Amino acid sequence: MATANEKQINAEHRVPDSPIEEKSNAIHDETAHVAAERGHAATDEYGNALVHFDQDAERRLRLKIDLYIVPTVSLLYLFCFIDRANIGNAKLAGFEKDLHLAGYDYNRVLSVFYISYIIFEIPSNMACKWIGPGWFIPTISLGFGICSICTAFVHNIHSASGVRFLLGMFEAGMMPGIAYYLSRWYRRSELAFRLSLYIVMAPLAGAFGGLLASGILKLHNFGGLHTWRMIFAIEGIITCGLSLISYFTLTDRPATARWLTQAEKDLAIARVKSERVATTEVLDRIDKPKILRGIFSPVTISTAFVFLLNNVTVQGLAFFAPTIVKTIYPKNSVVSQQLHTVPPYIVGAFFTVLLPFLSWRFDKRNIFFIISAPLVMIGYIMFLSSTEPMVRYGATFIIASGAFSFGALCNAQVAANVVSDTARSAAIATNVMFGNVGGLISTWSFLPFDGPNYHIGNGLNLATSSTIFLLSIILLFWMTKDNKRREKKNMETELEGLRGLSQKQIQDLDWRHPAFRWKP
């Protein structure tokens, strides 16, 4: 009788039961190889996949990609968010006092970061596609790590603003760059959950950042640095170390993955290609028509506006959670206040993964916008209606539960509703650019004169979450209605009109192709 280990080995290295099965596998591998080659489409002209893949082979490949790709980008994004949001922890430790910031100076320093972030968003993602994510992502990570270290040595608002501008420039490419990078590896339905596995690092950064900052502040000094300066220096050094390692661990695309067999490379390419109507190459050349299709897709624009509104809340929490907690527990020590910011982020992290996981299983995204928004609304209603510390602290848990999942869901939504690689890169960059306009707004949402109850900031966030709820419902109805309109058209007549077009012209149609359907 075989042991459990022998059964596992036999399952992984199974000999075909018959020559017929062996021939079938060979035909399948050859079909995937042909579909993966440049110049060959993996769909017919109606958008139907020409290749049907073995689910077990896909499952094994997906797990392998998960283990090789996701951990590195997740760690990089964790410290990307920590290096962005640690200024909130530094504020509690004397950042404002030592730099002689008064009035709205702190808000101005926060705003400078978003100005450069917004300016460089789309150019950065185009550069990511052109250079290749395997080199681009580690390089910008090294850049913002160095900027964090430099923040430890600023002495006035001008030097602080200059470093924050550079920090925004380097971090601009991080969120859209990783989202675009993962879209090279995963199917449409799989993408939201994989995005959540790195975007969950945003709430975890809030939790871990608070723990790390409180731990660092217990040190007497770090070199010649004290108090909040140690936070920036130590966290920046960690970021730089991870960036250097990632040069060796990130693989640019399936075709260059040394850890995949040739059959696995073909399968990885062909399965992504099989969801892209009229596509003959997964990684196309950058051209203007596809960029514009990605930016001006109705789903891109509307989803990006949802993400803008959501980011007013998410970035506001990142920058002002320590300040809000201080108003709830004003008599606690600084370290205690830092630690109180941790639990809401842990709860937020759980929902950041749970909702995109359900999105993967149901291959739906828009419905989870509609589910998440009311949680944020309830949280801010609690803030506005009560001054009880425990009620307000409880509200932060509810807000975090609904707010953080939008990062994965919105990026997956825009990626799923364009066809070409270039359009996908542009759509994701547009979504994140809009999101960071929301981040810029968030820097002015909690103003000094509005404390300690912050009626303006809480009211603004209630308004944004309510708008998200209504807009998400409208978007879902529009996508469903437009799909029905497309179904009513005579497909043969529509396709006949494309006969005179070149292959490039057909591909440039992207979501305007008659066989395309919106994926809500």
Side-chain angles (χ1 to χ4, degrees):
M1 186 173 179
T3 65
N5 286 338
E6 288 172 338
K7 287 180 179 179
Q8 183 178 354
I9 292 169
N10 289 336
E12 292 175 352
H13 304 283
R14 186 168 60 87
V15 178
D17 295 329
S18 68
I20 294 175
E21 184 183 349
E22 186 174 21
K23 183 177 180 182
S24 175
N25 288 339
I27 292 171
H28 173 80
D29 289 344
E30 180 60 26
T31 305
H33 177 68
V34 171
E37 285 186 330
R38 294 172 68 91
H40 289 274
T43 68
D44 61 21
E45 60 184 355
Y46 299 97
N48 301 312
L50 295 174
V51 186
H52 297 281
F53 304 102
D54 181 273
Q55 290 186 354
D56 290 334
E58 276 203 273
R59 192 178 299 112
R60 289 192 298 270
L61 174 65
R62 192 166 53 232
L63 178 60
K64 201 170 185 180
I65 295 170
D66 288 343
L67 294 176
Y68 273 86
I69 296 297
V70 175
T72 299
V73 295
S74 296
L75 276 174
L76 289 176
Y77 192 69
L78 171 66
F79 278 88
C80 169
F81 210 87
I82 285 175
D83 289 345
R84 175 191 316 182
N86 55 13
I87 192 170
N89 301 109
K91 183 185 179 188
L92 285 185
F95 178 82
E96 280 185 300
K97 180 181 177 182
D98 290 350
L99 267 60
H100 308 293
L101 303 184
Y104 301 122
D105 285 347
Y106 178 71
N107 302 79
R108 292 188 180 98
V109 172
L110 296 183
S111 298
V112 167
F113 169 87
Y114 281 105
I115 292 171
S116 59
Y117 206 126
I118 293 164
I119 292 171
F120 290 100
E121 198 72 70
I122 292 177
S124 189
N125 227 34
M126 292 298 104
C128 182
K129 176 177 171 58
W130 179 57
I131 296 170
W135 290 99
F136 184 79
I137 291 172
T139 300
I140 60 173
S141 300
L142 184 62
F144 62 70
I146 292 170
C147 287
S148 181
I149 296 171
C150 291
T151 311
F153 299 95
V154 300
H155 290 281
N156 54 53
I157 187 174
H158 306 296
S159 55
S161 298
V163 173
R164 292 291 291 184
F165 184 89
L166 292 174
L167 184 72
M169 183 181 73
F170 284 113
E171 288 202 6
M174 200 62 182
M175 186 181 193
I178 296 176
Y180 163 67
Y181 178 49
L182 294 182
S183 75
R184 289 184 168 192
W185 298 85
Y186 292 104
R187 283 181 178 272
R188 179 192 68 238
S189 61
E190 301 162 354
L191 188 58
F193 179 60
R194 271 69 193 185
L195 294 180
S196 77
L197 293 179
Y198 87 86
I199 290 175
V200 71
M201 295 301 162
L204 286 180
F208 181 64
L211 289 171
L212 187 58
S214 61
I216 290 171
L217 290 173
K218 289 181 180 179
L219 298 175
H220 183 263
N221 64 78
F222 179 72
L225 302 175
H226 300 272
T227 61
W228 60 268
R229 297 184 186 276
M230 296 190 297
I231 296 175
F232 289 111
I234 293 173
E235 292 176 354
I237 288 170
I238 296 172
T239 302
C240 290
L242 290 172
S243 303
L244 294 174
I245 294 170
S246 68
Y247 277 108
F248 301 97
T249 58
L250 281 187
T251 301
D252 202 57
R253 58 191 184 278
T256 60
R258 287 175 291 183
W259 42 273
L260 293 178
T261 65
Q262 187 57 52
E264 288 172 331
K265 291 178 183 179
D266 292 339
L267 177 58
I269 296 168
R271 73 193 200 103
V272 171
K273 205 178 189 182
S274 69
E275 295 187 323
R276 303 182 184 180
V277 61
T279 296
T280 57
E281 54 188 5
V282 173
L283 300 182
D284 56 350
R285 293 181 181 275
I286 296 175
D287 66 23
K288 185 178 177 181
K290 290 173 184 171
I291 291 174
L292 295 178
R293 287 281 186 260
I295 294 173
F296 293 107
S297 160
V299 173
T300 298
I301 296 297
S302 53
T303 303
F305 187 60
V306 165
F307 196 42
L308 182 157
L309 297 171
N310 172 254
N311 247 24
V312 174
T313 297
V314 171
Q315 302 297 344
L317 281 176
F319 291 127
F320 295 102
T323 303
I324 293 168
V325 168
K326 185 178 180 179
T327 66
I328 298 173
Y329 300 105
K331 296 180 180 179
N332 289 28
S333 68
V334 172
V335 171
S336 174
Q337 290 167 355
Q338 301 276 15
L339 292 175
H340 271 89
T341 66
V342 174
Y345 281 111
I346 299 296
V347 173
F350 172 76
F351 282 93
T352 300
V353 175
L354 175 64
L355 295 179
F357 176 79
L358 295 174
S359 166
W360 171 28
R361 291 308 185 191
F362 292 104
D363 194 12
K364 302 290 182 184
R365 288 149 294 277
N366 210 101
I367 188 66
F368 293 101
F369 294 1
I370 298 170
I371 292 171
S372 300
L375 294 173
V376 184
M377 294 164 62
I378 291 168
Y380 282 108
I381 289 171
M382 290 169 66
F383 260 117
L384 288 166
S385 61
S386 176
T387 57
E388 288 295 318
M390 293 308 297
V391 172
R392 294 165 71 83
Y393 189 53
T396 63
F397 286 83
I398 299 173
I399 292 165
S401 300
F404 283 103
S405 62
F406 279 88
L409 293 170
C410 288
N411 279 308
Q413 174 89 319
V414 298
N417 285 285
V418 291
V419 178
S420 71
D421 188 68
T422 295
R424 183 169 288 100
S425 176
I428 292 170
T430 302
N431 181 61
V432 179
M433 182 186 74
F434 270 64
N436 285 292
V437 172
L440 178 59
I441 295 169
S442 76
T443 63
W444 294 93
S445 58
F446 293 92
L447 299 170
F449 72 85
D450 198 29
N453 293 324
Y454 295 104
H455 293 296
I456 294 174
N458 293 323
L460 172 65
N461 282 280
L462 175 59
T464 57
S465 54
S466 301
T467 306
I468 289 171
F469 182 63
L470 295 174
L471 183 58
S472 300
I473 294 172
I474 293 169
L475 178 59
L476 179 60
F477 275 111
W478 180 86
M479 294 172 80
T480 304
K481 183 179 178 182
D482 197 61
N483 278 345
K484 289 180 179 177
R485 179 186 64 81
R486 289 172 180 245
E487 291 287 353
K488 289 178 182 178
K489 290 187 176 181
N490 187 308
M491 184 60 69
E492 293 298 331
T493 303
E494 293 291 318
L495 293 174
E496 188 63 35
L498 304 182
R499 305 287 188 214
L501 300 180
S502 67
Q503 184 65 46
K504 182 184 181 304
Q505 288 174 317
I506 292 173
Q507 290 178 356
D508 284 347
L509 289 172
D510 208 87
W511 50 269
R512 287 187 176 274
H513 192 285
F516 178 84
R517 297 293 181 272
W518 302 110
K519 288 91 178 176

